[in-house]
Amino acid sequence: MNARSQSANARPARRKTAAPTAATATATGAADAFAARLLAWFDVSGRHDLPWQHPRSPYRVWLSEIMLQQTQVKTAAPYFERFVARLPDLPALAAAEQDTVLGLWSGLGYYARARNLHAAAKLCVERHGGELPRDIDALTALPGIGRSTAAAILSQAWGDRHAILDGNVKRVLSRYHGIDGFPGLPAVERQLWALAESHLPPTRMTDYTQAQMDLGATVCTRSDPACILCPVQSDCLARIHGRTAELPVPKPGKAVPQRHAQVLWLLDRSGRVLLQRRPPTGVWAALWTLPQHEDEEAAERWFETHVDAEYADGEALAPVAHAFSHYKLELQPRRWRAVALRARVGDNDDLRWVAREELAELGIPAPIRKLIEAAG
């Protein structure tokens, strides 16, 4: 969840919401019905056996919310179980090495989530006695936690009354209230926050928060929504007016740039692979990957400086395509076997030989891991 929530019980400093519109007026009269129908549906059809629900704790809720940013439940669930088996609570996460955290995250993508999670855990130890704070402002002050994620943590871990507005909820509310405009626009997002707050039930906030996410994930899906199964279909303006396919309004499109990079896959006589740690900022920050360069000239210069072998002896392999949120990347791997580093290079903090059985412990970008492991 990427947007964040302030408390529904906010104090006088609470920010003003958008002025009432036709949509918010509809919500005022139907708020109780919307929440009641959603909770009744959740009791029968909601997801009650997710791994972070048993047991439910602030740490487990927080971890799940971070993992579910940009990731579906079915993908996140096994990563969650592996993560908590190794790092079962917040102090354990705070004390862990960054390589351990990134290794457990490896394959989930969007690695800034893992780095922020780790940094937030350390801050909780320093400032909050090793626990997540039960305060909206203190939560949103932590790395990687914004308004909606903070609200989801408070409502699910403690049952506090806060509205959420993740991608699923934006889609449900945009369709239910017939909201035009891309939900990421500030004016539209303010309107959706006002609607989300207007629907809050007086009790059962843990279930209501999960119900909203479940409805968007399993019924009110991005494509082919199952409107016939929706508990609020009778009042949904998108269904009534035949607009479910066009709402919410998609983000204005723009051309995605294509980039290229050379990847050097080096194996020593023992079959160990040479990995290089990425810089602490930027794409794949702090992860271990194969040495990578923007063009072949730069790759050859690096090779001649570091490797005791002939660059021309490398075996060119099939390109590997990978898509980021803001550009596409084509990797051109080239492989050498039974090579060694020049004597003056050797292993160091950012360059080291790694045996195959050690790869699972390191944070390695998914396309690089797939490339290495495909070799058998």
Side-chain angles (χ1 to χ4, degrees):
M1 303 178 192
N2 298 318
R4 311 300 178 200
S5 173
Q6 285 187 334
S7 170
N9 302 319
R11 292 154 177 76
R14 177 179 176 178
R15 92 164 85 146
K16 295 180 180 179
T17 57
T21 64
T24 56
T26 299
T28 302
D32 290 344
F34 180 91
R37 291 175 192 166
L38 194 53
L39 285 167
W41 170 84
F42 175 74
D43 289 339
V44 176
S45 304
R47 296 180 289 193
H48 301 274
D49 295 312
L50 299 174
W52 40 87
Q53 296 173 332
H54 308 287
R56 191 190 302 271
S57 70
Y59 172 72
R60 291 167 68 89
V61 168
W62 169 44
L63 175 59
S64 71
E65 288 300 316
I66 301 302
M67 284 190 168
L68 291 173
Q69 294 172 351
Q70 309 292 336
T71 304
Q72 295 182 342
V73 165
K74 64 180 180 181
T75 301
Y79 282 91
F80 175 88
E81 292 177 322
R82 184 171 66 132
F83 199 101
V84 295
R86 181 74 174 273
L87 304 173
D89 53 33
L90 193 150
L93 171 59
E97 296 292 331
Q98 181 175 250
D99 277 343
T100 298
V101 177
L102 292 175
L104 292 169
W105 203 273
S106 185
L108 266 182
Y110 298 95
Y111 291 92
R113 297 180 296 174
R115 292 190 295 272
N116 285 334
L117 188 83
H118 194 207
K122 291 183 176 182
L123 287 174
C124 285
V125 169
E126 294 174 10
R127 302 175 182 176
H128 304 295
E131 298 181 351
L132 275 177
R134 186 177 175 176
D135 176 82
I136 194 80
D137 294 326
L139 276 176
T140 55
L142 294 172
I145 300 180
R147 184 178 176 184
S148 187
T149 297
I153 293 168
L154 291 168
S155 62
Q156 293 187 94
W158 290 288
D160 293 347
R161 196 167 181 267
H162 295 278
I164 66 167
L165 195 68
D166 72 342
N168 285 316
V169 178
K170 286 181 178 180
R171 185 165 58 254
V172 169
L173 293 179
S174 292
R175 286 174 174 165
Y176 184 76
H177 292 284
I179 304 297
D180 283 303
F182 172 55
L185 295 175
V188 179
E189 190 170 60
R190 284 195 297 270
Q191 188 176 9
L192 291 173
W193 272 115
L195 292 168
E197 291 178 346
S198 75
H199 283 304
L200 290 177
T203 60
R204 295 190 64 188
M205 279 307 305
T206 297
D207 290 343
Y208 181 68
T209 298
Q210 186 66 51
Q212 295 175 88
M213 295 185 286
D214 287 0
L215 186 71
T218 65
V219 175
C220 192
T221 51
R222 183 175 288 107
S223 58
D224 298 322
C227 296
I228 194 172
L229 302 177
C230 181
V232 296
Q233 60 172 290
S234 61
D235 298 321
C236 177
L237 294 182
R239 187 198 66 79
I240 292 170
H241 298 295
R243 303 188 65 200
T244 54
E246 63 187 76
L247 294 177
V249 174
K251 182 178 182 179
K254 62 178 181 179
V256 178
Q258 176 73 59
R259 300 180 185 176
H260 301 269
Q262 301 290 316
V263 172
L264 308 183
W265 186 358
L266 303 163
L267 299 164
D268 70 2
R269 294 185 182 280
S270 301
R272 297 181 302 172
V273 62
L274 185 70
L275 294 183
Q276 186 173 43
R277 190 194 294 275
R278 297 280 295 179
T281 60
V283 174
W284 293 336
L287 297 182
W288 289 93
T289 184
L290 300 175
Q292 179 179 318
H293 302 275
E294 291 186 0
D295 55 52
E296 189 162 13
E297 183 179 348
E300 186 170 359
R301 284 200 306 271
W302 185 92
F303 183 94
E304 291 175 349
T305 300
H306 291 79
V307 185
D308 189 10
E310 294 295 327
Y311 183 83
D313 292 340
E315 173 191 7
L317 305 174
V320 176
H322 184 69
F324 294 96
S325 59
H326 52 297
Y327 69 92
K328 295 179 180 178
L329 177 64
E330 183 180 83
L331 300 172
Q332 175 57 65
R334 187 180 292 270
R335 181 170 57 191
W336 292 261
R337 299 180 186 274
V339 299
L341 293 178
R342 295 191 183 279
R344 65 178 181 274
V345 178
D347 279 10
N348 55 64
D349 289 342
D350 297 320
L351 192 69
R352 75 190 206 199
W353 294 104
V354 179
R356 178 168 295 275
E357 59 271 18
E358 298 173 330
L359 293 173
E361 298 298 316
L362 296 178
I364 301 174
I368 300 298
R369 186 181 294 279
K370 187 180 299 184
L371 175 66
I372 296 171
E373 293 180 347

